[in-house]
Amino acid sequence: MALVPIEQVGQVGIITDVPPYSLPPSAWSGGSNVRFTDQGVENISGHIEVMKDCPIRVKHLVFYNQRDITDYWLAFGETPVKRSTTGQVYCFDVDSRIWSDVTPEGGLKNSGSTVWSTTFLGAHLVATNGVDPMIYWPLLADNTPNPEISSGIKNRFIPVELGLSPEAIAEEEDKFTEEGISITPQTIDSFKSFLIGTNWSNGPTRIWWSTEGGHYSMPSWNYLDKDQDAGDYELNDSRGAVIDGAPLQDSFLIYKEDSIYIANYVGPPFIFGFKVLSKDVGLLTKNALQEFPGGHVFMSKYDVHVTNGQEVKSILTDKLQSQLFDNLNGDHYHRAFIAADVLNSEILICWPSDGSAWCNKCITWNWLTGVLSMRDLPHVSDIEPGVVPMPTEGDEWELNSHTWSAISRAWGSRAFESVIPELVFAAAGEDKIYRSGVDHTFDGDVMHTTVERTGMDLGDPGSVKRVNAVWPKITTMGGNTVKVYVGSQMSPDDGVTWETGVDFNPDKQSKVSCITTGKYFAFKVESDGDFKWRLHGMEFNVEQAGRRGSRIQ
């Protein structure tokens, strides 16, 4: 008999686009709600409802943090009724925990396809939904955006004044093919001191930038004023519409449906110069683009890519590409988006699967290691990092059901949790808002975690082998148990024959006894408990059972 170790199980992650028998030993062929680290594979943290009683269904969240003032969350969404045509904006005061209506006077339009785009220019928060005129949150006399000007008087969002001359207004109106449409972009971004709008209502390939604004002052958009730096440009080298854009170091990258452009600041009289980065790939939908320390991650019509401004590389090809694009909901693909989890150096690639109107699936990519994993989402429309107060219910000692050893965070740490930015989920499909990084449940419901590997030949693909024991190198918090399964396959094309799962407590057990025979073997760990676990590796006790098709000498 021989012990066959499988080590460094956190270095490769999950790969489903390659047959399991072709994977390296430390790779995994399936899994959900797990994270891979240098120490192994572990279950992720769960989430809990926060900022309760939000009056609207939230489609987009923004965390407003300005030094020495109260933190705010801005929620852009709709009235929570079926097929709502009314858009609304609400503000949550982190200190008082009160929601305030800051919707512009006259209201906002809304539809099932409405996707918000927001940016900061200095202290100003600017937003567009691609239908209404751009709006921004005005600052008060003390240069703060308090949601209340005085008792009962709200500091509401107001339309952005473009500051166009009569000649510019006439020129803009001449570009419309029908009346009653607002002059507005699909997306808005800040770059240096400029605001840049893309895909305008009177020009889908148009880039229009403002003059330079100040930290507390809004800029003009009058491109006919030759003493100012505002201007526009049509990107017509390819036929696709502009979808979104984002800064990348000293450049601004513009993503069309079918290509990517780079805008560089060149100064007067042209202000910006434009060149093509790629004509082979474009962006699937707005907000499916995320900045991270190494560049941009974006979703195209067939893959997820990373670019540093010099080249474009694939992330999912031959790894998890089919998981996303074979299951992406064709009716609601425009709700897919990408977010960043800076604390864990991860990119979250979120999409609605078949049968789901909102994003319920996520692929995570660690930008330091390149490792991929998968997790479930609570039907979200947006994920944003920020500071959010924890719920106070259940803080009393007599109401807390956890034991000392089962708590995965330090006792007394809650005060500091109100300082560290955590991911906040706008769960439009559940009309709730959640905070991540809390315990190991989905707001009190069971969080099922699993990781499995099939097709392992244990170093000898040609012979029939027998495994009679497995030593999982696993740790659990609080002396809890996980379910461990061992299985076998005679051929890589056969289904796995799983042995009965074993409740494994590493504080009391060291091995899982089994009797399974085949050429290939499988291993799986599952958990439904509210505790942390981590798998560091495993060892298989293997003995020869014969060599099918060969003569015994």
Side-chain angles (χ1 to χ4, degrees):
M1 292 188 288
L3 283 177
V4 179
I6 306 294
E7 300 175 328
Q8 299 177 330
V9 294
Q11 289 193 350
V12 180
I14 299 173
I15 299 176
T16 62
D17 289 349
V18 174
Y21 61 84
S22 296
L23 295 176
S26 57
W28 297 89
S29 55
S32 181
N33 298 322
V34 291
R35 172 176 288 122
F36 298 91
T37 71
D38 291 341
Q39 300 180 56
V41 53
E42 61 190 35
N43 57 336
I44 63 171
S45 297
H47 58 252
I48 190 171
E49 186 180 3
V50 293
M51 297 188 281
K52 295 183 178 182
D53 303 319
C54 180
I56 62 174
R57 177 177 297 123
V58 182
K59 289 187 170 183
H60 184 65
L61 278 172
V62 177
F63 179 59
Y64 192 110
N65 170 254
Q66 190 172 332
R67 184 175 296 178
D68 299 328
I69 70 167
T70 298
D71 293 335
Y72 301 107
W73 282 91
L74 281 303
F76 298 78
E78 62 189 17
T79 52
V81 297
K82 189 174 183 179
R83 296 180 181 175
S84 171
T85 59
T86 303
Q88 292 180 287
V89 185
Y90 270 75
C91 173
F92 182 82
D93 185 313
V94 172
D95 286 347
S96 68
R97 306 192 181 201
I98 294 174
W99 285 100
S100 299
D101 186 355
V102 291
T103 307
E105 295 287 353
L108 295 165
K109 299 182 180 69
N110 178 75
S111 72
S113 61
T114 299
V115 178
W116 283 90
S117 173
T118 56
T119 193
F120 281 96
L121 182 64
H124 282 108
L125 172 59
V126 187
T128 180
N129 60 9
V131 180
D132 294 291
M134 278 188 294
I135 56 176
Y136 75 101
W137 204 19
L139 304 177
L140 304 184
D142 60 354
N143 288 324
T144 65
N146 194 307
E148 288 203 11
I149 299 174
S150 60
S151 180
I153 302 177
K154 304 299 183 185
N155 182 31
R156 297 178 178 273
F157 276 74
I158 61 175
V160 171
E161 293 289 341
L162 298 180
L164 301 182
S165 63
E167 294 81 9
I169 293 175
E171 187 172 310
E172 289 301 309
E173 290 177 346
D174 286 343
K175 295 176 182 178
F176 286 108
T177 58
E178 56 184 288
E179 297 181 355
I181 300 177
S182 301
I183 302 172
T184 193
Q186 285 292 324
T187 68
I188 186 69
D189 293 280
S190 60
F191 176 62
K192 298 184 180 293
S193 297
F194 297 91
L195 286 174
I196 299 179
T198 67
N199 191 339
W200 289 74
S201 49
N202 54 8
T205 62
R206 186 186 189 193
I207 308 299
W208 183 358
W209 61 91
S210 70
T211 60
E212 292 187 273
H215 189 77
Y216 298 118
S217 60
M218 290 290 287
S220 166
W221 294 76
N222 188 10
Y223 52 84
L224 292 184
D225 186 346
K226 301 307 178 184
D227 295 328
Q228 301 292 332
D229 291 341
D232 67 340
Y233 191 80
E234 295 276 354
L235 299 176
N236 288 326
D237 287 352
S238 63
R239 298 175 61 183
V242 177
I243 303 298
D244 209 338
L248 179 56
Q249 299 176 358
D250 290 330
S251 300
F252 185 81
L253 268 59
I254 302 162
Y255 293 80
K256 301 182 70 177
E257 293 174 307
D258 53 5
S259 56
I260 307 172
Y261 285 74
I262 300 175
N264 290 311
Y265 178 77
V266 297
F270 300 108
I271 312 303
F272 287 101
F274 300 87
K275 63 179 182 180
V276 176
L277 172 61
S278 174
K279 285 191 175 182
D280 298 323
V281 66
L283 186 64
L284 176 67
T285 185
K286 67 181 180 180
N287 293 334
L289 165 66
Q290 178 63 49
E291 303 170 60
F292 78 105
H296 289 174
V297 176
F298 67 97
M299 188 185 305
S300 71
K301 295 178 179 178
Y302 59 88
D303 205 341
V304 176
H305 314 262
V306 60
T307 180
N308 58 5
Q310 303 295 322
E311 58 182 348
V312 178
K313 294 182 178 180
S314 167
I315 290 177
L316 299 187
T317 296
D318 294 332
K319 293 180 179 179
L320 291 177
Q321 187 177 20
S322 62
Q323 287 290 328
L324 197 166
F325 292 95
D326 287 355
N327 297 295
L328 179 63
N329 189 319
D331 293 329
H332 300 291
Y333 74 91
H334 62 278
R335 291 174 174 164
F337 65 91
I338 297 179
D341 180 357
V342 177
L343 290 178
N344 291 299
S345 303
E346 287 180 345
I347 290 294
L348 281 67
I349 304 156
C350 311
W351 81 96
S353 65
D354 285 339
S356 179
W358 302 96
C359 295
N360 63 327
K361 295 294 180 182
C362 174
I363 292 173
T364 60
W365 174 69
N366 187 297
W367 64 69
L368 298 179
T369 64
V371 170
L372 295 164
S373 187
M374 295 187 291
R375 63 175 293 170
D376 297 323
L377 293 175
H379 303 279
V380 302
S381 54
D382 193 18
I383 298 177
E384 291 292 329
V387 175
V388 63
M390 289 286 290
T392 57
E393 306 97 298
D395 280 352
E396 298 84 356
W397 285 94
E398 63 270 17
L399 297 179
N400 200 313
S401 60
H402 293 93
T403 61
W404 286 95
S405 59
I407 293 291
S408 57
R409 61 180 185 275
W411 281 91
S413 65
R414 178 156 295 182
F416 194 60
E417 287 178 345
S418 297
V419 179
I420 302 175
E422 286 283 356
L423 295 183
V424 178
F425 301 163
E430 300 179 5
D431 289 333
K432 292 183 178 181
I433 300 173
Y434 296 112
R435 177 196 189 274
S436 69
V438 182
D439 299 327
H440 298 281
T441 71
F442 288 156
D443 196 31
D445 293 333
V446 169
M447 179 179 71
H448 181 70
T449 60
T450 180
V451 64
E452 72 172 50
R453 172 61 195 274
T454 62
M456 292 185 290
D457 60 32
L458 302 181
D460 182 6
S463 66
V464 179
K465 301 168 286 292
R466 181 180 297 109
V467 171
N468 56 30
V470 178
W471 278 264
K473 300 176 182 179
I474 195 168
T475 57
T476 64
M477 296 291 291
N480 285 286
T481 63
V482 295
K483 188 79 77 173
V484 175
Y485 297 84
V486 181
S488 62
Q489 302 163 268
M490 193 58 69
S491 163
D493 297 326
D494 293 342
V496 176
T497 301
W498 292 101
E499 298 286 310
T500 301
V502 174
D503 290 324
F504 185 78
N505 184 339
D507 291 347
K508 300 178 180 179
Q509 300 160 263
S510 61
K511 71 175 182 177
V512 173
S513 298
C514 59
I515 300 177
T516 183
T517 302
K519 288 186 176 181
Y520 300 88
F521 295 88
F523 179 83
K524 177 166 62 175
V525 176
E526 290 185 345
S527 170
D528 292 327
D530 183 12
F531 60 90
K532 187 177 184 65
W533 59 264
R534 179 182 292 137
L535 176 69
H536 306 272
M538 54 273 194
E539 292 183 339
F540 291 81
N541 197 44
V542 183
E543 60 183 17
Q544 289 292 103
R547 183 173 295 273
R548 179 168 292 187
S550 63
R551 181 176 298 175
I552 299 176
Q553 301 294 331

